Amino acid sequence: MANKSLDGAVERFGISRTAWRVTILILFAFLAVLGAFLSLTKGSSVITMSQIVELLLNPGMDPQSQIIWNIRMPRTIVGALVGINLSLSGAILQAIMRNPLADPHIIGISSGAGLAGVVIMILFPALEYLITPVAFVGAMLAAICIYILAWKNGIKPVRIILAGVAVSAFLSAGISGLMIFYSDRVHGALMWMVGGLAARSWPHVSIILPYAAIGLVLALASASYLNILQLGDEMARGLGVNVEVTRIVMTAIAALLAASAVSVVGLLGFVGLVVPHAARLLIGSDYRFLLPAAALLGVAIVTLSDTFARVIFAPIELPVGIIMAFLGAPFFLFLLRREI
């Protein structure tokens, strides 16, 4: 379906596939920059674009400079990195599972990271610096459980989704149980369950940045393997790829990306579902182009959604997870109707 959309666009505009893909990448890069600038300018204190440029070039101690550098800038960077991580994670999972509905939130990987993170937040708050590695372990354990439950003479896409929904429900029940037993400590965990960028600061940037950089490099370096996995297990083996080892390694990369995002903003859903599909419809299924396109579009979607969540009911601020749920749930139903 994605390649048909690409072929139709190429035929309509009379340009080569490569030229079309480069054009789309430039468009997504523009949207990413636009989303970042709007995130910096919009809020309870409106700051114009010219003022933003001046404050970025000549920071000072005035209130507007403090708003930009200590409140909006780290929040925007965190939002951009979360958009990259969740979008790449979703794109990778869709390739290795050959399932268009795969997404770290829907199939339970984010819930595994979320349960591990909530355990640290509620039971061991002094070990908060361990949230990201512990969340990664939780995400990997959830992925392993999903594979085991879905395996029956091979992996089928529908079984993965059903197993993922079951694992996600089980882990969400664990999170809810912890919140009931430790109701005096749940305020941070409640925001974690929804997913939001409120009060994200420079320490959060330092937490997610190394994992985002490592995950991005590994994901882009794996594009050729992801292309081969889309051909099916038998064809991949015929081309000399160790399918199961490759799938495990790719799952680990996807889990690392998802866990680092979850550890900073909580259970932000549907980014890994909506963004890769939107990019695939315009740029095709070649992961050499799809991964950078998904990363750029992820930046745009998350930053624009967060800006919208901040201003729609100002001065009340909605978590960005609510906006993504409004966008993602209808998109999920559309895919479900089309694919199954």
Side-chain angles (χ1 to χ4, degrees):
M1 181 68 71
N3 286 327
K4 289 182 179 179
S5 300
L6 174 62
D7 291 338
V10 168
E11 182 178 349
R12 187 178 304 113
F13 292 99
I15 60 177
S16 68
R17 277 172 167 256
T18 301
W20 172 261
R21 284 166 167 160
V22 171
T23 301
I24 295 299
L25 285 173
I26 293 173
L27 173 62
F28 286 172
F30 170 77
L31 290 175
V33 173
L34 176 63
F37 268 105
L38 287 177
S39 180
L40 291 174
T41 57
K42 301 300 181 181
S44 57
S45 176
V46 178
I47 304 175
T48 66
M49 198 75 72
S50 60
Q51 289 175 310
I52 292 286
V53 174
E54 178 63 26
L55 291 171
L56 291 177
L57 294 176
N58 301 294
M61 297 302 295
D62 57 285
Q64 286 189 332
S65 186
Q66 294 301 307
I67 289 172
I68 293 299
W69 281 101
N70 294 324
I71 298 178
R72 294 186 186 175
M73 180 66 76
R75 179 172 182 153
T76 300
I77 294 174
V78 169
L81 294 177
V82 166
I84 291 172
N85 286 12
L86 291 178
S87 300
L88 291 178
S89 180
I92 291 170
L93 290 172
Q94 288 164 17
I96 62 179
M97 296 182 178
R98 299 200 308 277
N99 191 328
L101 302 179
D103 162 80
H105 184 74
I106 292 171
I107 69 169
I109 288 180
S110 289
S111 295
L115 177 58
V118 168
V119 167
I120 295 294
M121 290 174 63
I122 291 180
L123 300 182
F124 308 102
L127 302 178
E128 188 174 353
Y129 62 92
L130 292 177
I131 283 183
T132 299
V134 171
F136 170 69
V137 173
M140 281 301 298
L141 290 175
I144 291 170
C145 288
I146 292 165
Y147 270 113
I148 292 174
L149 293 172
W151 182 270
K152 184 180 179 182
N153 300 321
I155 293 288
K156 289 188 177 180
V158 174
R159 281 206 299 265
I160 288 178
I161 289 296
L162 295 177
V165 169
V167 169
S168 180
F170 179 80
L171 295 173
S172 296
I175 295 174
S176 299
L178 279 173
M179 292 171 64
I180 290 173
F181 280 111
Y182 297 92
S183 57
D184 57 323
R185 312 179 190 176
V186 301
H187 180 266
L190 284 174
M191 294 302 295
W192 175 285
M193 291 287 290
V194 179
L197 291 167
R200 299 306 93 174
S201 57
W202 288 112
H204 296 99
V205 175
S206 64
I207 289 173
I208 191 174
L209 182 58
Y211 297 98
I214 293 170
L216 177 61
V217 171
L218 292 176
L220 295 177
S222 305
S224 59
Y225 291 99
L226 295 173
N227 282 336
I228 293 173
L229 287 177
Q230 291 186 98
L231 302 175
D233 291 359
E234 294 302 320
M235 181 69 73
R237 290 190 183 96
L239 294 172
V241 174
N242 189 323
V243 172
E244 296 309 322
V245 171
T246 302
R247 191 171 273 136
I248 290 171
V249 172
M250 294 295 101
T251 301
I253 295 172
L256 176 67
L257 289 163
S260 61
V262 168
S263 66
V264 172
V265 300
L267 300 177
L268 179 58
F270 293 108
V271 177
L273 175 72
V274 172
V275 174
H277 266 287
R280 189 178 287 110
L281 288 172
L282 290 174
I283 213 163
S285 298
D286 187 339
Y287 271 76
R288 295 173 300 172
F289 297 94
L290 178 58
L291 289 175
L296 291 170
L297 187 58
V299 173
I301 293 273
V302 173
T303 53
L304 289 171
S305 296
D306 181 54
T307 303
F308 184 72
R310 292 207 313 263
V311 302
I312 183 174
F313 294 120
I316 298 173
E317 180 177 316
L318 292 178
V320 67
I322 294 177
I323 304 300
M324 288 309 307
F326 273 113
L327 294 175
F331 194 81
F332 177 76
L333 293 175
F334 162 73
L335 292 176
L336 196 66
R337 296 274 297 178
R338 191 184 71 172
E339 300 291 343
I340 298 180

